Amino acid sequence: MEKKPHFVRREFLPREVPSISLALLLAAVLLLNAFLYLYLNKFSTSLGRVETDSGLCPFGHFKFGAVKNCSPWLSCEAINREVRKLKCVGEGAVKKVFLSEWKEKKVVLSQLTNSELKEDFLHGLKMLKALQSKHVVRLLGYCEQQFTILTEYHPLGSLRGLNETLHIPKYKAMNTWHRRLMLAIDYVSVIRYLHSSPLGTLVMCDSNDLDKVLSQYLLTSDFHVLVNDLDALPVVNRSAGRLVKCGHRELRGEFVAPEQRWPYGEDVPFEDDLMPPYDEKTDIWKIPDVSNFFLGHVEGSDIVRLHLFDIHAACKKKDPAERPSAQEVLDTYRKVLTLLIREAAMPGTREML
């Protein structure tokens, strides 16, 4: 008689184990979902943080590296006395760029090379001062009299070298669809910031081909995107009827927006005075091509492209008014990233069940 309870327990045990296991698995699923929600919420919050990062210094000051205190922008005297040129690392139509040293730190010194373009140089300096934020390279000092600008140095250079950087053994772990999409999000965030900047709606005019676009941006050591060249940023003001034209020469090719191309056919010679102006939607037209470069050809990148197909098709609308705003593109990119992260996490959860 004493064995009967023992027999009953053994009879019901196989039925109880699956129920207990299922409860544990369901609890694990709930915990995983809660963790995923907190992660995505934290990620979305970091993406949506205010443009003027709380870590930035007050206007006219800077800090970088491990330094905690803010210092005033370096003056002409300080630059001449404390900054030492090391080597020339680049030269464009407007300025020559030198890798330099200041207080044992690598910095970048830019100097005007063509006096006829001094207005462009000074415009770039004005933009750099006014637009200091988490999207823009850090200004360390300047000297208007000598047409000199000092900025923070980023050893990975411009975005033109992104693919080469990602093939370096040290950075191969970064060569994923996830990291590449985050870089595209950074890029669109810069465009959104320029379109809603403290100075008004700014158009990124130095962007007539992909290579030129990529040269305007820097890749930071922690894999973020900063805009570096602000020499060509005209302002759109629709309420005042003020549109823009990116230069005074004819623009050709599929990369530039349709409204940037000569509209009167090959039989009519190009005349700048007859060329209609346009607005910031030219930047939106170029987003799919730039993002396609970011996504590359890694595992999962085609899935990302599929999810972005509709928003990219909208960016390529011939009528600029039908294209989405940079904010709408950015919102879609963020939603796609969140969705794909969730989908990547869920297969393991389903297998548990």
Side-chain angles (χ1 to χ4, degrees):
M1 294 296 294
E2 293 177 358
K3 291 183 178 180
K4 189 173 183 179
H6 179 67
F7 174 77
V8 171
R9 285 196 302 271
R10 290 187 63 185
E11 180 183 2
F12 284 95
L13 187 58
R15 298 178 186 176
E16 292 174 359
V17 169
S19 299
I20 295 172
S21 299
L22 183 60
L24 290 172
L25 288 172
L26 287 172
V29 169
L30 291 174
L31 285 172
L32 179 60
N33 281 333
F35 172 78
L36 185 61
Y37 172 80
L38 291 172
Y39 169 78
L40 293 174
N41 185 58
K42 181 180 179 182
F43 178 75
S44 298
T45 301
S46 67
L47 285 174
R49 65 188 185 275
V50 293
E51 306 302 340
T52 51
D53 196 322
S54 58
L56 292 173
C57 294
F59 182 80
H61 295 73
F62 73 92
K63 66 177 179 180
F64 71 104
V67 179
K68 294 183 178 180
N69 298 326
C70 295
S71 302
W73 286 335
L74 272 64
S75 63
C76 296
E77 181 185 356
I79 291 174
N80 292 332
R81 184 181 65 248
E82 301 173 11
V83 176
R84 181 170 65 94
K85 290 181 186 177
L86 298 178
K87 64 178 179 178
C88 179
V89 292
E91 184 174 1
V94 179
K95 54 186 178 286
K96 185 178 287 188
V97 180
F98 297 90
L99 175 63
S100 304
E101 193 175 56
W102 174 70
K103 294 188 175 179
E104 299 182 349
K105 297 181 179 69
K106 296 290 191 303
V107 293
V108 173
L109 188 71
S110 302
Q111 291 183 320
L112 178 69
T113 54
N114 186 345
S115 59
E116 294 180 0
L117 298 175
K118 64 181 180 182
E119 293 303 321
D120 291 348
F121 185 90
L122 293 176
H123 176 75
L125 174 58
K126 175 186 175 183
M127 295 292 109
L128 195 54
K129 290 192 290 184
L131 298 176
Q132 285 294 289
S133 70
K134 67 186 180 72
H135 301 296
V136 179
V137 69
R138 187 170 287 127
L139 177 64
L140 308 180
Y142 63 93
C143 180
E144 285 193 34
Q145 298 94 313
Q146 298 174 8
F147 297 99
T148 299
I149 299 173
L150 193 70
T151 54
E152 188 174 12
Y153 171 63
H154 293 280
L156 296 183
S158 79
L159 288 176
R160 284 189 296 190
L162 174 63
N163 289 324
E164 289 75 11
T165 297
L166 289 172
H167 282 94
I168 297 173
K170 179 181 178 181
Y171 299 112
K172 277 189 175 180
M174 296 287 196
N175 196 17
T176 64
W177 70 262
H178 173 263
R179 178 58 63 178
R180 284 176 170 270
L181 179 54
M182 288 181 69
L183 289 174
I185 288 174
D186 271 0
Y187 165 72
V188 178
S189 296
V190 174
I191 299 299
R192 190 278 310 269
Y193 175 63
L194 295 178
H195 288 186
S196 57
S197 82
L199 300 177
T201 302
L202 302 172
V203 181
M204 193 68 175
C205 264
D206 230 350
S207 56
N208 298 333
D209 58 65
L210 178 61
D211 192 64
K212 188 62 174 176
V213 171
L214 298 175
S215 71
Q216 310 300 304
Y217 296 86
L218 295 172
L219 179 65
T220 67
S221 296
D222 58 350
F223 273 71
H224 286 286
V225 174
L226 297 175
V227 63
N228 180 52
D229 196 329
L230 305 173
D231 293 345
L233 282 180
V235 180
V236 167
N237 189 336
R238 284 196 192 85
S239 60
R242 183 180 178 183
L243 300 177
V244 304
K245 287 191 288 187
C246 291
H248 304 288
R249 298 178 181 178
E250 182 178 1
L251 301 178
R252 296 175 179 269
E254 293 297 316
F255 187 82
V256 296
E259 64 271 23
Q260 292 184 282
R261 302 172 210 155
W262 180 242
Y264 303 118
E266 295 289 340
D267 295 334
V268 181
F270 177 82
E271 288 187 39
D272 184 43
D273 291 340
L274 298 179
M275 180 67 198
Y278 33 83
D279 62 17
E280 77 281 2
K281 290 299 183 73
T282 58
D283 289 334
I284 304 301
W285 171 273
K286 298 161 188 172
I287 286 176
D289 298 292
V290 181
S291 290
N292 187 55
F293 168 81
F294 278 120
L295 292 175
H297 300 285
V298 297
E299 183 179 357
S301 62
D302 287 340
I303 298 298
V304 178
R305 287 185 178 91
L306 184 64
H307 280 79
L308 296 176
F309 180 84
D310 289 341
I311 192 67
H312 283 174
C315 291
K316 290 294 187 179
K317 294 282 188 180
K318 187 172 182 180
D319 182 355
E322 295 182 5
R323 294 174 205 153
S325 66
Q327 183 65 63
E328 289 170 325
V329 178
L330 181 59
D331 290 342
T332 301
Y333 274 40
R334 288 173 174 172
K335 287 176 183 175
V336 168
L337 177 60
T338 301
L339 173 67
L340 292 176
I341 290 175
R342 184 180 289 121
E343 286 182 352
M346 291 309 290
T349 305
R350 288 195 293 269
E351 289 172 9
M352 290 172 64
L353 294 172

